[in-house]
Amino acid sequence: MTSTMQSTCPATGEIVWEGVEDDAASVNRRLSAARRAFEGWADTSPDRRVAILRAYAEKLRDHAEDVARTIARETGKPLWEARQEAGSMAGKVDISIRAQAERAGFRTDEQPFGQAVLRHQPHGVMAVLGPYNFPGHLPNGHIVPALLAGNAIVFKPSEQTPATGELIRSLLSEAGLPDNVLSVVQGGRETGAALIGGEIDGLLFTGSAATGMVLRRAMVERPHVIMALELGGNNPIIAWDGDPVAAASIIAQSAFITAGQRCSCARRLIVPEGPAGERIVEAVTALAARMRMERWDAEPEPTFGSLISAGAARYAREEVARLTGLGARTLLAEQRDDGLSEAFMAPVILDVTGIDVPDREIFAPVLQIQRVPDFAAAIKMANATAFGLSAGLVSEDAALWQHYLSRARAGVINWNRPTTGASGAMPFGGLGNSGNHRPSAYYAADYCAYPVASFEAGELADLSGQIKGLAPAAS
């Protein structure tokens, strides 16, 4: 029996996309078709693959407004931010071409017998599972380098952002990508389970740590499947000195941008006990209260839009209630706007100093304050998490920065910049529950191809003289 699915705009409830949900049989057909398409794509010259991906970048630029509006409607994020995401998608192509050449390229070294050659080969059929918070940029960050390396892909977008996934497929097809080199399957958990349980050679996932743990267990007896996991974080930012207003501007962007729906958002603010820390907290609270939330297409532009769904906002509010039940003190309560849907959630700031709170990511605009007596305690508090994605220090003391940098446990560590600041020209990934030591962005080239080392001689040579202990040849 065919099942249908749809995505709706969380800000308005309007239907954005409707289509058929792929069952296990449909997923397996797509995987088989990808397997057949793989050899032809892998045999396509690197220059031709580059040309097609560059044509895709041009398609993204030509259709940038359509891409941005689709992203904004499906996620609820403001149009200004969706436009940035669309721009990042196009920019990813040239960055990936450069990374492919640098990290997974071709090299020869002359040897007495001939040459030693380093090549990289594609894995085969890669499953890409995309998230909802950046439904274009983040899966694109797996798809582009995987295609450049010569892999075929079956891509399952988040069931909350299927239209963005279909748009990626359509633009790649228009750019000249051969049929079935990239297929899209739509659906929820059952579709995803069929995909990861199918005949794949790689699994590239961006999403929650809980789902990442499920995927790790699913692949325990399948070591041939390369897996790159880009997961969440319970990220700390230490604010130690400097102008409180300037510090607040960095902290608020770290905690509340995209309505707190970035895996690199700061969830914990660590400040010194006493007046200096109190001034920073007061400045952050004042700035957060000024942040405007509105519909994705509102004018003037809001700071942020809705969460992905009313259910996501409801869960975040339940987490806030649990923390207050444990004794957290509310410094900034959520300011509700009755004119907006239940998917909207304004910033919340809680003081959890001295409280044993769960080491859990709240994927929403919720910031927890922790006060400590000295900088050693601040580092210990920052590292007191099973996660390790991003971290930050706000301080004008370069010695403190060097001290923190040498002890922080995270894959992205920023100084006097928001924790959400990251570059596609650098690696992006984390430790512990935040990933599996296969960072994405510039380093995606590493997991999209495997190295092959060869000793090569164009002519046969008799090597018997190099074999020790040979008996004399019979006369």
Side-chain angles (χ1 to χ4, degrees):
M1 181 178 176
T2 302
S3 298
T4 59
M5 57 179 288
Q6 60 182 214
S7 67
T8 58
C9 175
T12 65
E14 296 170 337
I15 296 173
V16 179
W17 182 91
E18 288 184 287
V20 175
E21 185 170 3
D22 287 280
D23 60 14
S26 175
V27 170
N28 286 329
R29 286 193 297 271
R30 300 292 178 86
L31 286 170
S32 295
R35 182 70 60 188
R36 291 190 297 270
F38 163 63
E39 287 191 9
W41 182 244
D43 288 342
T44 300
S45 73
D47 287 346
R48 177 61 182 155
R49 294 200 296 260
V50 164
I52 290 173
L53 269 297
R54 282 192 165 135
Y56 167 60
E58 285 304 309
K59 293 291 181 183
L60 283 166
R61 294 185 184 99
D62 292 344
H63 297 275
E65 192 64 11
D66 290 339
V67 173
R69 293 180 75 86
T70 300
I71 291 170
R73 290 181 68 208
E74 279 203 311
T75 64
K77 67 175 60 175
L79 190 53
W80 66 262
E81 188 176 0
R83 286 171 175 150
Q84 288 182 352
E85 182 172 352
S88 295
M89 291 172 68
K92 178 65 183 175
V93 172
D94 279 341
I95 289 173
S96 297
I97 292 168
R98 192 163 75 246
Q100 175 79 12
E102 179 183 316
R103 302 192 61 80
F106 175 84
R107 191 182 77 220
T108 62
D109 292 320
E110 295 303 312
Q111 301 289 333
F113 56 79
Q115 59 184 358
V117 182
L118 172 65
R119 298 178 176 86
H120 289 79
Q121 299 287 0
H123 293 283
V125 176
M126 310 288 265
V128 174
L129 276 66
Y132 62 74
N133 59 334
F134 285 85
H137 175 55
L138 290 178
N140 194 65
H142 293 309
I143 289 168
V144 170
L147 290 175
L148 284 170
N151 298 283
I153 297 169
V154 178
F155 167 39
K156 191 195 89 64
S158 166
E159 60 270 31
Q160 293 170 301
T161 55
T164 306
E166 289 291 347
L167 193 50
I168 290 172
R169 182 204 59 76
S170 175
L171 294 177
L172 276 164
S173 179
E174 289 180 23
L177 190 70
D179 292 346
N180 299 317
V181 172
L182 180 132
S183 298
V184 172
V185 294
Q186 299 285 10
R189 182 174 298 178
E190 291 183 2
T191 305
L195 181 55
I196 67 171
E199 291 296 320
I200 59 174
D201 302 293
L203 173 58
L204 313 181
F205 171 76
T206 305
S208 72
T211 303
M213 196 65 70
V214 171
L215 298 178
R216 282 188 173 105
R217 288 194 290 266
M219 295 297 160
V220 147
E221 296 182 358
R222 300 171 69 187
H224 66 283
V225 178
I226 191 164
M227 194 165 46
L229 303 177
E230 184 184 321
L231 310 174
N234 192 12
N235 309 306
I237 184 167
I238 301 172
W240 207 250
D241 58 57
D243 175 58
V245 173
S249 71
I250 295 167
I251 296 161
Q253 287 191 68
S254 298
F256 305 126
I257 192 170
T258 320
Q261 294 178 114
R262 293 194 186 189
C263 54
S264 54
C265 277
R267 311 297 177 190
R268 298 177 292 136
L269 169 61
I270 301 165
V271 298
E273 295 173 349
E278 189 60 35
R279 286 192 291 270
I280 292 170
V281 171
E282 288 174 354
V284 173
T285 304
L287 185 56
R290 292 168 52 202
M291 290 180 157
R292 293 178 52 255
M293 60 179 184
E294 249 297 354
R295 284 176 40 145
W296 62 271
D297 56 351
E299 292 291 347
E301 295 173 329
T303 311
F304 51 82
S306 68
L307 271 63
I308 189 63
S309 68
R314 183 166 55 251
Y315 176 78
R317 293 184 181 108
E318 289 170 355
E319 288 293 292
V320 169
R322 288 190 188 97
L323 290 173
T324 55
L326 291 172
R329 184 165 60 94
T330 302
L331 302 183
L332 179 65
E334 182 187 0
Q335 304 299 310
R336 287 291 305 148
D337 185 331
D338 293 335
L340 299 174
S341 79
E342 288 298 311
F344 284 86
M345 183 177 184
V348 173
I349 300 177
L350 303 173
D351 189 333
V352 299
T353 303
I355 300 170
D356 185 15
V357 295
D359 181 19
R360 193 154 55 217
E361 178 184 42
I362 302 176
F363 211 59
V366 179
L367 181 63
Q368 301 174 49
I369 308 293
Q370 297 166 317
R371 304 167 193 267
V372 292
D374 54 46
F375 198 69
I379 294 175
K380 183 177 180 180
M381 181 69 75
N383 288 340
T385 175
F387 297 90
L389 181 57
S390 69
L393 173 66
V394 177
S395 170
E396 295 184 327
D397 188 331
L400 285 184
W401 164 241
Q402 290 300 323
H403 186 60
Y404 182 51
L405 187 61
S406 67
R407 286 162 174 75
R409 291 281 296 166
V412 177
I413 309 171
N414 292 345
W415 181 28
N416 292 329
R417 297 294 299 168
T419 60
T420 50
S423 167
M426 297 181 74
F428 184 84
L431 314 172
N433 288 351
S434 293
N436 67 331
H437 301 278
R438 296 195 186 279
S440 63
Y442 202 73
Y443 278 33
D446 295 16
Y447 57 71
C448 289
Y450 63 91
V452 177
S454 302
F455 277 179
E456 302 178 5
E459 297 179 356
L460 284 175
D462 185 353
L463 304 183
S464 58
Q466 300 178 13
I467 302 174
K468 301 293 186 183
L470 283 183
S475 58

